[in-house]
Amino acid sequence: ITLSIIMGTILTMSSYNWLMAWIGLELNMLAILPIISKPKTTRASEATIKYFLTQAIASAMMLLSSTTNAWQTGSWDILELKNKFSTTIMTLSLMMKMGAAPVHFWLPEVLQGTTLQTALLITTWQKLAPVTLMYMISNNIQPALLMSAGLLSMVVGGLGGINQTQLRKTMAYSSINNLGWTIMIMALSPNLAIMNITIYIIMTTPVFLMMKNTSMKTLQNLTTTWTTSTAMTLSIALLMLSTSGLPPFTGFMPKMLA
């Protein structure tokens, strides 16, 4: 299963052809479903179904977009996505794959229904393939579409996270917020957007690992770990500040550059 997840992402990231990219994403999706449903609870099964349905819809939109483009231009090449309709549908489908607003509703639900380890996988590794595809077609996407989607994601991520007591949901909204930044920067400088998502992944991974280590589930747990593991609580606090993008932390760098 792990091999399939890695293979699927690498296949998508290294393909020139829309069909190969689609096959990579499908392989990736089918491989992660058993991982999400591994805890034998109704919550996990529900999360798996939600994940599967949204990703399947996004895949169908992707096929529709690339087929329409191939029909209009005669090329399956990823860089040849010239048709306006195709570009818009493709952007929406990639946003759905990543979990950016306005098609973000599955992300908090899925993360809440599964383990912290799987949540880490979904918020980091699973973003690589769609972000790479968006990077490849960024020249053809209308900047207004990227800007408005990015702004909406930032607003939804910021406001949605305030209202949560569950840490996994908070992390999900943090992910949506950071994706908003990535998508918005994509309109101005695609290379910077790649740097932004890389820094986000580097910052989120230790937060999830520490949460897993102390088996934190809610904000209540976070406040009570101070007595048992002071250094870890401090690290999480600093990482949270960094993820919010406050100077002088690393998370501020892509925002400053943008």
Side-chain angles (χ1 to χ4, degrees), residues 11-33:
L11 183 64
T12 303
M13 288 168 78
S14 59
S15 58
Y16 282 102
N17 186 307
W18 276 121
L19 284 176
M20 288 305 285
W22 175 77
I23 289 169
L25 285 167
E26 286 294 292
L27 181 67
N28 193 329
M29 174 187 81
L30 290 173
I32 202 170
L33 291 177

Side-chain angles (χ1 to χ4, degrees), residues 109-136:
E109 298 294 322
V110 171
L111 289 202
Q112 191 52 41
T114 186
T115 61
L116 281 166
Q117 223 164 343
T118 316
L120 169 65
L121 192 65
I122 293 171
T123 46
T124 55
W125 184 261
Q126 294 298 89
K127 302 260 187 291
L128 294 178
V131 167
T132 310
L133 286 176
M134 193 177 261
Y135 173 77
M136 288 165 93

Side-chain angles (χ1 to χ4, degrees), residues 179-200:
L179 274 177
W181 274 96
T182 306
I183 292 171
M184 205 164 165
I185 299 171
M186 194 74 81
L188 313 164
S189 159
N191 292 343
L192 250 184
I194 295 293
M195 192 188 96
N196 183 64
I197 196 84
T198 309
I199 288 178
Y200 164 71

